[in-house]
Amino acid sequence: MHRVGSAGNTAGSSRPRKEKRFTYVLNDADNKKHCAGINCLSYLDASTSGTSDYLFTGSRDGTLKRWESKNGVASFSATFESHVDWVNDAIIVGQNLVSCSSDTTLKVWNCLSDGACTRTLRQHSDYVICLAAAEKNSNIVASGGLGGEVFIWDLDSALAPVVKSVDVKEDEAPNGNSGPALTTLCSVNSSSNLASTNGQSHGYSPITAKGHKDSVYALAMNDTGNLLVSGGTEKVVRVWDPRTGSKKMKLRGHTDNIRALLIDPTGRLCLSGSSDSMIRLWDLGQQRCIHSYAVHTDSVWALASTPSFNHVYSGGRDQSVYLTDLGKRESVLLCTNEHPILQLSLQDDMIWVATTDSSVYGWEAEGQTPEKLIQKGASFLAGNLSFSRARASLEGSAPVPVHKEPSTIIPGVPAIIQHEILNNRRHVLTKDTAGSVKLWEITRGAVIEDFGKVSFEDKKKELFEMVSIPAWFTMDARLGCLSVHLDTPQCFTAEIYAVDLNVAGAQEDLKINLAQETLRGLLVHWSKRKQRSGSHGLSNGDTSTGKDVSLRNLPHPRSEVDDGAENHASQMLPSFEFSTVSPPSIITEGSSGGPWRKRITDLDGTESDIPWWIVDCVEHNRFPKENTKCGFYLHPAEGSPAPNITQGKLSAPRILRIHKVANYVVEKLDRPLDGNADSTFAMGLTSGQSQFSALDSSSRLGLKPWQKLKPSVEILCNSQVLLPEMSLATVRAYVWKKPEDLILNYRVVQSR
């Protein structure tokens, strides 16, 4: 398990960040499918649900999905979205679905709901990797993770109603986190995504099983909940009494990480799978290993037993699923997959297989009579030494699988594995696991071109533009899809002329702030519903005594904050309209409830934890005015008879076109130099008051701004003639290439 920073989880981050980060996750066109590997499976049969059989899947895309299973065919039923990082495990506990994530939380959901989270449990300090529950005790859940922590939760106590606490300041949160101190308790709000339970002020905290010195990868509990086993990087199986958290025994034998555990209903036998490729059967009464099974050629990551505990299905890194008779030591290769196997779920005559691929595969299995499969296939004796299987594989005696093809597939969307932000800072080139290369426009979250299976590097070179736009966002594809991160004030550094976005009726000098318009597009549903609900201000800031309120109420001088009078458009621009069919999700850090995630179309206007700087930008059209100017000198070219028309350094917007500089020179050459010439480059600072007034005739004819006038001068930099459409920033980045102030030269040319 690699330690990788997540989209919403800032625990342990050393990067100082004054304000809360805002992230939006771009969903694929088909949001009924997972777009990253499937880490976990859980099954709810009709006898428990009272309706249908349901399969629950948890993915590295941060979501869980519910599938209705009928006659071996699974159809999409619901998405459970609130985690902000990988979902690592999920189990059914009574009528509840409990999930755990790399965002360090457990979340509780109603299995048959529309996907709303009912409670978030926070106690872990690191990624939560595994869960276990007692079949006959629907209150008890155990959780373990990379922090070496194992907690045993009583759900009845943990889910009891709590009273909202508002007396903890955000800047008093431990480790610089925006989450609460461990004694803080916060109630469930309308979104059901922001609640935390840390219990001590509520009178409840989970039982801690102390003893692991390193990461915990696997847990299992017997039916009655009086026996818990755990395993991880210490290579030993630890046995606990979950009622007290006390140690009972340690079982030694594996030579590598323990990755999977099963315990029989009686609590007498335990099965373990390890990265040493071995499966071991332990007698807990005798406190020893009674059988070893050398079935796999690589790490064993998943185990699923028959109800009688006489047979076990196993899978792992070698991409194979084996069925083993634990008594007779006979094994058969059930099937092979194209990806490493992460989890198995046996239901009647179907074994569901989760892999690092985004699809879920169902293979035929004899749930009640597994010996039929062993008789059907080419069985072999499971040795007790791991090298025996590896040697057999090398000698070419690998077994033939019983099944060639799965009986059913729940298809996923190929995960994005490579991405490149293009120079215009609006387009991103991606490549997915299927080899398809696509071009995204991130300001509206849409794929604008699918190039198919072409060379990523060649396409990147083909799309190269010699333009320079500030890096106003950062990005990753950790969730299998694009996550775009915005931090203030850096995100407000990028501007673009409206005419470059083909905005109908836009004046030539009208500038668009990319972050502002993107935020308006993302929160358009939230804004409308907030207005309808009559909400005023920031409930987050109003109920907190922390940093949010003081910063929000600080007066911002005009030099630091742009009131948007020149830049803001009353209507939504087409380049910033996000899809409502496959809407993106937003992730942000709550002031008291920790990070949360929600689709933009599900925002109801009552969300209280949207950062103040976002609200200020979207609702009040205020945002920090970053330095978007470029200083430069303008001199006659060497050998040119043209007079010197400027005194000192000029200043203009970085996006100013060279044709404007040429027009400025023409204008100055037409009249004597004013001795008191202002060093501010006035031509670049003017902006029309009416933002969407009709353009002149040349614009209506589709001419670019630099095609309207035919300058009688050429602008040069480093003796290179500059194209009229180039901006000052582009010239500085690609022609000037020096840290010093830009120097431009001009010379008179024959009028064209």
Side-chain angles (χ1 to χ4, degrees):
M1 180 65 66
H2 299 288
R3 299 286 300 132
V4 183
S6 65
N9 179 22
T10 58
S13 172
S14 59
R15 180 173 65 89
R17 189 166 72 246
K18 188 175 181 181
E19 300 300 344
K20 300 185 187 75
R21 165 171 283 188
F22 186 86
T23 296
Y24 63 99
V25 181
L26 302 182
N27 296 313
D28 191 86
D30 192 346
N31 54 30
K32 294 180 179 179
K33 298 177 181 178
H34 285 299
C35 64
I38 311 298
N39 280 343
C40 55
L41 302 166
S42 196
Y43 204 88
L44 180 67
D45 59 40
S47 62
T48 305
S49 69
T51 53
S52 302
D53 289 345
Y54 290 107
L55 176 69
F56 294 85
T57 55
S59 171
R60 295 178 178 184
D61 64 16
T63 70
L64 299 106
K65 294 187 186 294
R66 183 179 68 218
W67 311 87
E68 186 175 9
S69 180
K70 288 184 178 179
N71 302 319
V73 178
S75 56
F76 173 80
S77 177
T79 294
F80 296 76
E81 184 171 6
S82 182
H83 283 298
V84 300
D85 205 342
W86 289 11
V87 176
N88 294 319
D89 203 0
I91 53 174
I92 304 293
V93 186
Q95 290 291 328
N96 290 315
L97 174 69
V98 181
S99 60
C100 67
S101 167
S102 297
D103 64 13
T104 75
T105 72
L106 281 73
K107 289 185 182 286
V108 185
W109 325 72
N110 184 316
C111 286
L112 303 179
S113 72
D114 59 357
C117 175
T118 57
R119 183 56 55 89
T120 298
L121 308 177
R122 307 178 191 279
Q123 195 78 26
H124 285 269
S125 63
D126 209 330
Y127 293 4
V128 193
I129 300 299
C130 50
L131 298 170
E135 184 73 26
K136 295 179 180 177
N137 187 340
S138 60
N139 293 335
I140 305 302
V141 172
S143 59
L146 296 194
E149 302 155 323
V150 176
F151 296 117
I152 299 100
W153 305 82
D154 183 325
L155 288 187
D156 278 354
S157 300
L159 301 183
V162 295
V163 179
K164 188 169 185 179
S165 169
V166 296
D167 57 355
V168 178
K169 295 184 179 182
E170 178 191 342
D171 52 2
E172 293 175 353
N175 304 323
N177 251 348
S178 58
L182 288 182
T183 56
T184 305
L185 217 54
C186 189
S187 65
V188 183
N189 71 356
S190 61
S191 73
S192 299
N193 288 339
L194 316 182
S196 69
T197 299
N198 295 88
Q200 293 176 6
S201 62
H202 176 225
Y204 172 79
S205 59
I207 295 170
T208 304
K210 296 181 180 178
H212 277 283
K213 300 179 180 65
D214 212 335
S215 300
V216 178
Y217 286 145
L219 292 171
M221 197 181 295
N222 69 333
D223 278 4
T224 56
N226 59 12
L227 207 60
L228 174 70
V229 292
S230 63
T233 55
E234 297 170 62
K235 309 171 189 175
V236 298
V237 177
R238 293 181 182 268
V239 185
W240 314 82
D241 184 341
R243 296 166 295 188
T244 61
S246 58
K247 304 175 188 175
K248 293 178 73 73
M249 67 187 84
K250 280 195 291 189
L251 304 173
R252 303 180 185 276
H254 283 295
T255 59
D256 207 336
N257 299 341
I258 294 169
R259 299 299 301 266
L261 288 167
L262 291 178
I263 192 167
D264 82 325
T266 66
R268 186 178 70 88
L269 299 174
C270 173
L271 272 169
S272 58
S274 168
S275 295
D276 62 13
S277 79
M278 295 294 292
I279 299 170
R280 289 183 179 270
L281 180 64
W282 309 83
D283 187 311
L284 299 182
Q286 299 179 33
Q287 300 189 22
R288 69 183 184 91
C289 176
I290 55 176
H291 285 301
S292 296
Y293 306 91
V295 175
H296 290 269
T297 58
D298 208 331
S299 301
V300 180
W301 289 348
L303 297 172
S305 72
T306 56
S308 64
F309 216 75
N310 292 324
H311 295 76
V312 64
Y313 293 86
S314 57
R317 194 172 180 177
D318 61 7
Q319 306 177 8
S320 301
V321 177
Y322 288 91
L323 171 63
T324 301
D325 185 319
L326 297 176
K328 296 180 180 179
R329 304 181 62 86
E330 283 186 295
S331 294
V332 66
L333 175 61
L334 181 70
C335 61
T336 57
N337 293 262
E338 296 181 358
H339 306 275
I341 294 159
L342 300 176
Q343 203 165 94
L344 301 170
S345 179
L346 177 63
Q347 297 301 326
D348 299 326
D349 292 332
M350 182 80 73
I351 181 86
W352 292 99
V353 179
T355 73
T356 55
D357 181 34
S358 57
S359 300
V360 182
Y361 303 89
W363 298 82
E364 287 184 18
E366 296 286 348
Q368 301 301 320
T369 54
E371 57 274 6
K372 289 183 179 179
L373 285 174
I374 294 178
Q375 296 167 3
K376 186 185 300 185
S379 63
F380 60 93
L381 186 65
N384 57 9
L385 296 174
S386 60
F387 68 80
S388 62
R389 281 291 296 120
R391 184 176 61 191
S393 178
L394 288 172
E395 291 173 354
S397 58
V400 178
V402 175
H403 300 308
K404 296 289 192 292
E405 298 292 336
S407 57
T408 185
I409 298 176
I410 303 175
V413 175
I416 293 173
I417 55 173
Q418 193 174 1
H419 68 276
E420 183 77 19
I421 302 171
L422 302 187
N423 287 354
N424 62 19
R425 300 290 170 179
R426 291 185 295 117
H427 295 159
V428 174
L429 193 67
T430 63
K431 181 180 180 180
D432 61 31
T433 53
S436 291
V437 176
K438 298 177 182 179
L439 185 65
W440 292 73
E441 185 169 17
I442 62 142
T443 54
R444 59 188 182 97
V447 174
I448 56 178
E449 192 160 359
D450 186 344
F451 300 107
K453 296 181 180 181
V454 299
S455 167
F456 183 84
E457 293 301 321
D458 289 348
K459 184 57 65 174
K460 185 171 70 173
K461 292 175 183 177
E462 179 186 327
L463 295 174
F464 173 80
E465 293 180 85
M466 191 183 289
V467 295
S468 178
I469 304 290
W472 60 281
F473 64 90
T474 55
M475 173 175 282
D476 67 61
R478 174 172 165 75
L479 300 179
C481 46
L482 295 178
S483 295
V484 184
H485 311 297
L486 301 181
D487 293 296
T488 187
Q490 305 95 302
C491 67
F492 294 110
T493 57
E495 294 180 329
I496 189 170
Y497 285 118
V499 292
D500 292 333
L501 294 174
N502 300 316
V503 176
Q507 289 189 347
E508 181 183 329
D509 291 328
L510 174 63
K511 298 189 291 290
I512 298 293
N513 188 287
L514 293 177
Q516 182 195 23
E517 294 303 323
T518 299
L519 289 170
R520 290 181 67 233
L522 288 166
L523 294 179
V524 63
H525 306 283
W526 176 81
S527 296
K528 290 177 180 177
R529 290 165 186 169
K530 186 171 185 289
Q531 291 169 4
R532 284 201 298 266
S533 66
S535 306
H536 297 288
L538 252 179
S539 55
N540 171 31
D542 294 339
T543 58
S544 167
T545 57
K547 187 162 38 180
D548 266 9
V549 171
S550 59
L551 281 174
R552 183 167 63 91
N553 293 330
L554 280 177
H556 296 285
R558 180 65 180 87
S559 60
E560 297 178 5
V561 177
D562 184 3
D563 64 6
E566 296 178 352
N567 294 49
H568 186 69
S570 58
Q571 69 264 41
M572 194 59 57
L573 301 176
S575 296
F576 302 91
E577 289 182 353
F578 289 87
S579 168
T580 56
V581 176
S582 181
S585 303
I586 64 170
I587 295 175
T588 190
E589 301 167 28
S591 60
S592 57
W596 55 276
R597 169 175 170 168
K598 212 172 186 183
R599 286 191 185 168
I600 62 171
T601 49
D602 292 338
L603 297 170
D604 57 18
T606 64
E607 289 76 16
S608 60
D609 275 22
I610 292 177
W612 72 267
W613 62 271
I614 301 285
V615 178
D616 229 20
C617 172
V618 172
E619 290 207 323
H620 308 299
N621 204 25
R622 293 195 298 260
F623 56 90
K625 186 66 174 177
E626 289 297 283
N627 181 19
T628 59
K629 300 294 178 64
C630 175
F632 66 99
Y633 293 93
L634 188 60
H635 301 311
E638 185 177 351
S640 171
N644 190 1
I645 59 172
T646 63
Q647 295 177 349
K649 186 167 70 173
L650 303 175
S651 178
R654 289 184 300 214
I655 62 173
L656 190 82
R657 305 288 192 188
I658 290 301
H659 84 90
K660 283 278 190 158
V661 180
N663 290 347
Y664 174 80
V665 172
V666 170
E667 181 183 325
K668 286 292 186 180
L669 290 176
D670 283 345
R671 66 173 188 266
L673 178 64
D674 186 351
N676 298 319
D678 189 350
S679 62
T680 299
F681 194 55
M683 289 289 289
L685 297 180
T686 56
S687 181
Q689 296 299 313
S690 172
Q691 299 195 13
F692 295 104
S693 59
L695 295 178
D696 60 33
S697 58
S698 58
S699 290
R700 287 195 294 270
L701 291 173
L703 298 178
K704 295 292 185 182
W706 56 86
Q707 294 173 313
K708 300 175 191 177
L709 298 177
K710 296 181 179 179
S712 56
V713 298
E714 284 181 339
I715 307 298
L716 301 89
C717 180
N718 283 345
S719 302
Q720 177 180 330
V721 177
L722 303 177
L723 298 174
E725 65 269 22
M726 295 175 78
S727 68
L728 293 177
T730 301
V731 173
R732 185 179 182 89
Y734 294 100
V735 182
W736 181 242
K737 300 179 183 178
K738 300 175 188 176
E740 297 85 11
D741 285 324
L742 177 65
I743 298 177
L744 300 179
N745 303 110
Y746 57 89
R747 66 187 180 196
V748 179
V749 294
Q750 186 66 38
S751 185
R752 286 170 288 178

